[in-house]
Amino acid sequence: MGQITLNKVTKSFGEVQVIPPLDLDINDGEFVVFVGPSGCGKSTLLRLIAGLEDVTSGDIVIDGTPATDLPPAKRRLAMVFQSYALYPHMSVRKNIAFPMKMAGVSQEEQQRRIDGAAKALNLTDYLDRRPGQLSGGQRQRVAIGRAIVREPAAFLFDEPLSNLDAALRVGMRLEISELHKRLETTMIYVTHDQVEAMTMADKIVVLRAGHIEQVGSPLELYRTPRNLFVAGFIGSPKMNLIEGAEAGKHGANTIGVRPEHVRVTETGPWSGVVGVSEHLGSDTFLHVHDTGLCDVMTVRAGGELNVHHGDRISLTPDTDKMHRFDAEGLRIA
Amino acid sequence: MATQHSRAAARFMIAPSVLLLLGWMLIPLGMTIYFSLLRYNLLMPGNNPFVGFENYSYFLSDPTFLTAMLNTLLLVGGVLLITTVGGILLALLIDQPIWGQGIVRILVIAPFFVMPTVSALVWKNMFMNPVNGLFAWVADLMGLQPYDFLASAPLLSIIGMVSWTWLPFATLILLTALQSLDSEQLEAAEMDGAGPVSRFFHIMLPHLARAITVVILIQTIFHLSIFAEILVTTNGGPGVASTNLTYLVYAESLLRFDVGTGSAGGVVAIILANIVAIFLMRMIGKNLDA
């Protein structure tokens, strides 16, 4: 079980309130991602759930039992830190065994769980090494192993992949998703990378300045962002946001069109001059200037498109996939 | 220093300082060894005949020698024990975020800047004096008999004084080591169910191992040659109760004017210090390997 409920939780550091009253339900077995720009309070929220910070007011309920005043060790949560926080003077085996040793698990049981975790995480050959002798990805796996053997109600990940290089990050992302499918344990994952959020989450919580901007599945957030912030944050490359007369034509204060919903056509309502074009092979991302609509418009075109710097092109948006926002930045249905 | 040429140039250029240091070390050592082989007493001027190892046999068979050696080890061991354990506890204490942390830290470090003769005199006259001392006054206040520290427990008193001077050193080094501990490791241990005591023994103490080694090695070097504290308080007494090797060498050469035996004692002290060093490096030196 791993059902976590936050009830009007707030957190202040001195005079500064970093988390205004916040309600959130996390269901058993869900993979929830907290995502937001740096400083939005997502790590603080995770630490509140973990018990590493005390809540200023409000309640945290884990599996129906109030956990607000429980020490971290009693909450049956396991955390994977950004720096991995492995114990450098202990071998991998001892690192993984440490939480069980603290909990007084029998030797045979410890051995069984270590073997299980090592096998699942491909660490069997490294059990007697020290963390200092491992690569970043291996350290990451040891940290996950240390979390798994506790058989927690939920896993907490605090930006676990940000210290890895790009290729390894993609690999570890898959491994963690795979792990979640296998264990079916609740996971809460903090990241500032919206690609990680989109690819891994069952449910994404978009945070800004401690506020929850929107909660929903990745596709919900992609299709129906509730406001301008979510619209700009979810999706890569970013959505093109257009204000002024063009938005007025569609009865909105601001309209948003994703780069993949703008087509390069012979003739079209919009036009602009091609600036930088990024050829990825499968796609080409064009940065179009002088459209008279917004500063730079990003357009996703086919990989084989043959345009050059300085060419003037015409653009046609998919009107039915256009997002409309009012003066407060909220979505117009 | 990659090329043959630059290596040769480097050797040539550091040669003067190497030679100077070598001379600085070898000439006094050679003279000490030379004097230790002569019958050389300032009270009996004349020719100083070569007597071989006579001085050594006198020095080593003197019952004071064994006492002095034991005292030296007790002094070093006692001070190390107090400063290391006390230093860890103090470091843990002043690592806490408290009001006036800066001032507290300066106060803690201050004793290290007091020179040994001064601190020993302050301890002797203002604290441990059985008539005018602060401790005597406190004892009087409670109706107890004042305790004459330097007469009744001279070695222990000196251990106390030296520890007072060196506790800040240990604290300072251990504090910086403690501050370099990644706080996420402590948090991870907390989440893993380790209480404050387990966290100390499983996370903090292993992290401090290298700093503790440095503290022990450096302090051993200095404490093998403690002299000023003994000279200004007990003069090695009562009897020889607080005489260490350094003081014994001093007594032989400058109180009994027997330069030959004093030099022999000096050579013995060098050998003993090296034995201690070898044992220490064997025991704790592996902590220094990164």
Side-chain angles (χ1 to χ4, degrees), chain A residues 181-194:
Chain A
K181 294 276 178 296
R182 211 165 55 219
L183 297 175
E184 293 179 332
T185 312
T186 312
M187 291 189 177
I188 305 177
Y189 188 104
V190 163
T191 180
H192 59 262
D193 181 352
Q194 61 92 22

Side-chain angles (χ1 to χ4, degrees), chain A residues 213-229:
Chain A
E213 294 288 330
Q214 191 171 2
V215 180
S217 72
L219 283 183
E220 262 170 51
L221 298 196
Y222 178 80
R223 290 196 192 118
T224 52
R226 207 166 63 92
N227 56 30
L228 274 175
F229 178 77

Side-chain angles (χ1 to χ4, degrees), chain B:
Chain B
M1 277 191 251
T3 64
Q4 199 82 44
H5 182 71
S6 62
R7 262 202 297 274
R11 274 195 206 123
F12 178 71
M13 283 195 268
I14 61 172
S17 52
V18 170
L19 286 176
L20 187 70
L21 284 172
L22 214 60
W24 201 267
M25 191 191 80
L26 283 181
I27 292 171
L29 183 67
M31 285 178 74
T32 307
I33 292 173
Y34 172 64
F35 287 146
S36 73
L37 301 173
L38 301 180
R39 180 176 297 151
Y40 185 2
N41 193 316
L42 299 177
L43 294 178
M44 290 183 278
N47 58 341
N48 300 317
F50 182 83
V51 290
F53 287 97
E54 192 187 271
N55 287 324
Y56 287 92
S57 71
Y58 278 135
F59 187 81
L60 292 173
S61 60
D62 184 351
T64 315
F65 167 69
L66 278 182
T67 318
M69 202 167 82
L70 189 67
N71 283 344
T72 307
L73 294 178
L74 282 176
L75 197 54
V76 172
V79 175
L80 281 182
L81 190 72
I82 295 175
T83 50
T84 321
V85 174
I88 293 172
L89 296 178
L90 258 183
L92 284 174
L93 192 68
I94 60 178
D95 192 32
Q96 306 297 319
I98 47 166
W99 187 82
Q101 198 177 40
I103 292 185
V104 169
R105 284 185 185 169
I106 290 172
L107 286 179
V108 166
I109 289 155
F112 198 51
F113 294 105
V114 180
M115 55 191 86
T117 40
V118 175
S119 90
L121 281 174
V122 168
W123 277 97
K124 181 188 177 185
N125 295 324
M126 296 177 73
F127 290 99
M128 292 174 168
N129 189 300
V131 181
N132 303 316
L134 189 72
F135 295 152
W137 181 74
V138 171
D140 262 345
L141 217 59
M142 294 191 292
L144 297 172
Q145 190 72 32
Y147 187 71
D148 190 352
F149 288 91
L150 288 167
S152 311
L155 195 62
L156 218 57
S157 304
I158 290 171
I159 290 177
M161 292 173 199
V162 178
S163 300
W164 179 80
T165 309
W166 282 84
L167 191 57
F169 171 78
T171 307
L172 199 64
I173 290 188
L174 294 169
L175 177 67
T176 52
L178 207 55
Q179 285 171 337
S180 73
L181 177 58
D182 178 13
S183 65
E184 281 199 346
Q185 266 181 41
L186 289 176
E187 286 174 348
E190 196 181 345
M191 300 237 20
D192 283 346
V197 178
S198 301
R199 283 208 292 278
F200 174 73
F201 282 106
H202 287 109
I203 312 295
M204 286 179 170
L205 212 51
H207 177 78
L208 290 179
R210 193 178 297 185
I212 291 173
T213 310
V214 169
V215 166
I216 289 178
L217 286 178
I218 292 183
Q219 289 208 57
T220 305
I221 293 168
F222 281 90
H223 299 337
L224 279 171
S225 57
I226 289 174
F227 178 71
E229 285 89 343
I230 298 173
L231 184 74
V232 300
T233 54
T234 63
N235 271 315
V240 289
S242 60
T243 297
N244 67 353
L245 271 180
T246 322
Y247 194 82
L248 185 61
V249 171
Y250 162 76
E252 287 291 348
S253 21
L254 292 166
L255 297 182
R256 286 192 271 286
F257 300 107
D258 188 344
V259 176
T261 311
S263 299
V267 174
V268 170
I270 292 170
I271 294 167
L272 286 178
N274 277 290
I275 292 173
V276 170
I278 289 169
F279 268 104
L280 266 183
M281 288 308 285
R282 279 274 171 82
M283 275 195 297
I284 58 176
K286 63 178 186 298
N287 280 337
L288 293 177
D289 299 333

Side-chain angles (χ1 to χ4, degrees), chain A residues 63-82:
Chain A
D63 285 343
T65 45
T68 319
D69 297 318
L70 283 183
K74 295 266 157 61
R75 298 190 183 194
R76 300 192 306 118
L77 305 173
M79 186 148 164
V80 176
F81 290 84
Q82 182 173 3

Side-chain angles (χ1 to χ4, degrees), chain A residues 3-328:
Chain A
Q3 208 246 339
I4 299 169
T5 309
L6 306 186
N7 219 333
K8 301 246 177 332
V9 167
T10 70
K11 174 68 187 174
S12 307
F13 291 110
E15 293 290 298
V16 189
Q17 192 175 51
V18 289
I19 308 273
L22 182 146
D23 294 293
L24 183 65
D25 279 307
I26 293 164
N27 297 324
D28 184 34
E30 249 179 347
F31 197 120
V32 178
V33 175
F34 294 169
V35 68
S38 57
C40 70
K42 54 193 189 299
S43 283
T44 308
L45 191 57
L46 193 75
R47 293 167 61 83
L48 288 175
I49 296 172
L52 293 172
E53 303 275 358
D54 293 323
V55 298
T56 308
S57 69
D59 297 304
I60 297 172
V61 180
I62 299 175
D63 285 343
T65 45
T68 319
D69 297 318
L70 283 183
K74 295 266 157 61
R75 298 190 183 194
R76 300 192 306 118
L77 305 173
M79 186 148 164
V80 176
F81 290 84
Q82 182 173 3
S83 67
Y84 319 135
L86 300 178
Y87 311 128
H89 54 280
M90 297 184 199
S91 66
V92 168
R93 185 190 302 279
K94 287 198 176 141
N95 260 287
I96 297 178
F98 187 73
M100 295 189 281
K101 192 171 151 193
M102 290 295 119
V105 175
S106 72
Q107 284 293 331
E108 302 87 67
E109 179 65 11
Q110 283 192 21
Q111 196 56 47
R112 196 184 61 76
R113 290 198 210 169
I114 292 172
D115 289 343
K119 206 183 242 172
L121 295 163
N122 277 328
L123 285 171
T124 315
D125 296 340
Y126 309 108
L127 278 178
D128 295 313
R129 294 213 194 156
R130 296 270 179 106
Q133 298 164 306
L134 301 179
S135 70
Q138 288 165 341
R139 284 182 214 184
Q140 182 67 72
R141 283 206 287 270
V142 176
I144 294 173
R146 193 172 63 184
I148 290 178
V149 293
R150 292 182 56 199
E151 300 179 350
F155 290 94
L156 311 178
F157 292 92
D158 188 4
E159 308 213 17
L161 305 185
S162 52
N163 287 346
L164 300 179
D165 64 55
L168 212 49
R169 206 177 300 167
V170 174
M172 282 308 294
R173 206 163 77 195
L174 286 173
E175 278 187 45
I176 293 176
S177 294
E178 190 67 37
L179 193 71
H180 175 247
K181 294 276 178 296
R182 211 165 55 219
L183 297 175
E184 293 179 332
T185 312
T186 312
M187 291 189 177
I188 305 177
Y189 188 104
V190 163
T191 180
H192 59 262
D193 181 352
Q194 61 92 22
V195 177
E196 276 176 27
M198 293 295 281
T199 50
M200 299 170 86
D202 293 324
K203 183 154 98 183
I204 296 180
V205 178
V206 183
L207 289 159
R208 179 172 59 163
H211 281 283
I212 293 183
E213 294 288 330
Q214 191 171 2
V215 180
S217 72
L219 283 183
E220 262 170 51
L221 298 196
Y222 178 80
R223 290 196 192 118
T224 52
R226 207 166 63 92
N227 56 30
L228 274 175
F229 178 77
V230 178
F233 198 79
I234 298 292
S236 171
K238 280 177 71 165
M239 184 188 281
N240 300 301
L241 296 172
I242 299 160
E243 292 173 354
E246 182 67 24
K249 275 192 224 161
H250 296 87
N253 205 275
T254 310
I255 53 169
V257 190
R258 296 199 182 277
E260 50 270 43
H261 300 147
V262 184
R263 277 171 293 122
V264 180
T265 46
E266 288 294 315
T267 56
W270 300 345
S271 72
V273 177
V274 176
V276 174
S277 42
E278 298 170 314
H279 294 278
L280 301 181
S282 57
D283 300 302
T284 306
F285 291 113
L286 304 173
H287 297 258
V288 184
H289 300 265
D290 297 333
T291 49
L293 301 164
C294 54
D295 193 25
V296 180
M297 182 176 285
T298 318
V299 175
R300 194 181 90 173
E304 307 297 326
L305 185 78
N306 195 15
V307 291
H308 296 99
H309 189 271
D311 289 355
R312 179 160 278 276
I313 54 171
S314 292
L315 301 168
T316 309
D318 292 343
T319 5
D320 54 330
K321 296 214 172 122
M322 201 175 269
H323 306 269
R324 299 184 301 146
F325 301 95
D326 64 17
E328 267 88 61

